[in-house]
Amino acid sequence: MLHHVLPLIPQCFGVSSARSRRRFGETGWFLCYVMLAWSIGFNIWRQSPYFMNTRNLYSNYPEDHALMPYNLKWFYLVQAAFWISNIYTIFVEERRKDHIEMLTHHIVTIALVLLSYHFHFTRFGHAFMLVMDFPDIFLSLAKLIRYLGYDMLPNILFGLFTISWVATKHYLCIKMMVSIWTEGITEVPLEKRYPHCPDSYASYPIVGFMWAILCVLQVILIYWFFMILKVLERVLIKGEDAQDTRSDDEGDSDDATTTNN
């Protein structure tokens, strides 16, 4: 699908650049995965007791958390496998200009997925993954349409991407960081906290370790957000298209829509 099906779409639109067809295939594959995984994850969340309720992310810990529902466990393992595979992918693909930031982002994401799984904070991890993945849908759509040679619609999608980025990767992300530091401990009775209860990891040192990783992730996201603001400056002030070379291949002279997997 990546190499034989998706690249045919830009070819049908008259795109002659081999690089654009290749990048269309890569982005199309990523979009297919993100939309499918996010839809499944959202459906699991919608049917869960912690839907739109941060306190229930930690209720009845650790009994109701150590034994994960089958669908949530499947979602978790697939997500972990996807991000681990991305580590391999960024070394196989042509090196991009934000290679170090992207590699750090992937390592931090994998650490959060695996640690939340091991510490039984999977409800938190599940909701956090949904929050973090949502803006990627708008960004990938903008990139795909840009590779087909259109300008106006990618600019609109980039605007939606920027709004969703601020709402999810900063506002909701920080809100969830506050939640796990406060409710993640206070909602768990003392007798069910670490080390008083088997299978419990609810303690300030353990949560603090996860919180430190979340802070590293937030620093990367803030850095990327400043790159997004530079693109918006060019669009709103200079009247240019929503393009930037932040994640282009190193040495590439062509612009491409901002990317952040």
Side-chain angles (χ1 to χ4, degrees), residues 23-24 26-35 82 133-148 154 157-158 161 164 257-261:
R23 295 294 291 271
F24 185 95
E26 295 170 356
T27 304
W29 169 253
F30 177 79
L31 177 63
C32 288
Y33 171 80
V34 171
M35 291 186 66
F82 173 75
D133 288 348
F134 182 69
D136 293 334
I137 297 174
F138 295 108
L139 178 59
S140 298
L141 279 172
K143 289 172 60 181
L144 287 179
I145 298 173
R146 172 75 66 196
Y147 291 139
L148 296 178
L157 288 170
F158 188 83
F161 159 71
S164 64
T257 304
T258 304
T259 178
N260 166 31
N261 292 350

Side-chain angles (χ1 to χ4, degrees), residues 56-259:
N56 281 349
L57 291 173
Y58 321 102
S59 62
N60 298 320
Y61 182 90
E63 293 86 357
D64 290 353
H65 299 249
L67 296 176
M68 297 171 62
Y70 174 79
N71 55 358
L72 178 58
K73 190 169 186 175
W74 177 90
F75 175 79
Y76 237 83
L77 295 177
V78 170
Q79 284 285 77
F82 173 75
W83 287 111
I84 291 173
S85 71
N86 273 350
I87 295 288
Y88 169 78
T89 300
I90 64 174
F91 283 103
V92 173
E93 294 179 346
E94 295 180 68
R95 188 181 177 93
R96 303 187 182 188
K97 294 181 178 179
D98 63 345
H99 177 85
I100 299 299
E101 294 85 353
M102 191 73 73
L103 177 62
T104 305
H105 171 271
H106 291 352
I107 292 174
V108 169
T109 301
I110 292 169
L112 286 172
V113 172
L114 296 181
L115 287 174
S116 61
Y117 183 87
H118 178 71
F119 293 148
H120 305 315
F121 285 111
T122 49
R123 292 183 177 182
F124 173 88
H126 174 209
F128 193 83
M129 282 188 278
L130 292 178
V131 166
M132 295 297 292
D133 288 348
F134 182 69
D136 293 334
I137 297 174
F138 295 108
L139 178 59
S140 298
L141 279 172
K143 289 172 60 181
L144 287 179
I145 298 173
R146 172 75 66 196
Y147 291 139
L148 296 178
Y150 296 93
D151 295 324
M152 181 59 69
L153 185 53
N155 289 347
I156 296 173
L157 288 170
F158 188 83
L160 294 174
F161 159 71
T162 304
I163 295 171
S164 64
W165 177 287
V166 174
T168 57
K169 296 190 184 251
H170 294 303
Y171 174 72
L172 289 180
C173 177
I174 293 174
K175 186 175 181 180
M176 292 191 69
M177 290 172 65
V178 173
S179 168
I180 194 171
W181 182 254
T182 56
E183 297 172 328
I185 301 297
T186 58
E187 291 298 313
V188 180
L190 183 61
E191 66 273 11
K192 292 187 178 182
R193 298 180 191 174
Y194 177 87
H196 307 293
C197 178
D199 294 327
S200 176
Y201 296 93
S203 69
Y204 282 108
I206 292 175
V207 172
F209 180 63
M210 292 184 60
W211 212 79
I213 297 176
L214 289 168
C215 287
V216 173
L217 179 61
Q218 191 60 215
V219 169
I220 298 172
L221 295 175
I222 290 173
Y223 168 77
W224 273 333
F225 182 61
F226 278 108
M227 300 296 102
I228 294 172
L229 291 179
K230 290 182 179 180
V231 179
L232 288 178
E233 179 186 9
R234 294 209 303 266
V235 173
L236 299 177
I237 298 178
K238 300 180 180 179
E240 299 177 1
D241 294 327
Q243 297 178 338
D244 115 64
T245 58
R246 179 169 62 87
S247 289
D248 282 353
D249 303 336
E250 287 187 347
D252 219 344
S253 60
D254 296 332
D255 279 346
T257 304
T258 304
T259 178

Side-chain angles (χ1 to χ4, degrees), residues 34-72:
V34 171
M35 291 186 66
L36 179 61
W38 194 89
S39 299
I40 293 174
F42 180 83
N43 188 56
I44 296 172
W45 179 49
R46 185 175 57 84
Q47 299 176 18
S48 72
Y50 51 94
F51 179 66
M52 302 295 290
N53 189 324
T54 57
R55 287 196 172 187
N56 281 349
L57 291 173
Y58 321 102
S59 62
N60 298 320
Y61 182 90
E63 293 86 357
D64 290 353
H65 299 249
L67 296 176
M68 297 171 62
Y70 174 79
N71 55 358
L72 178 58

Side-chain angles (χ1 to χ4, degrees), residues 7-17 20-21 147-150:
L8 294 177
I9 299 176
Q11 190 173 352
C12 292
F13 279 81
V15 178
S16 58
S17 169
S20 294
R21 293 199 300 267
Y147 291 139
L148 296 178
Y150 296 93

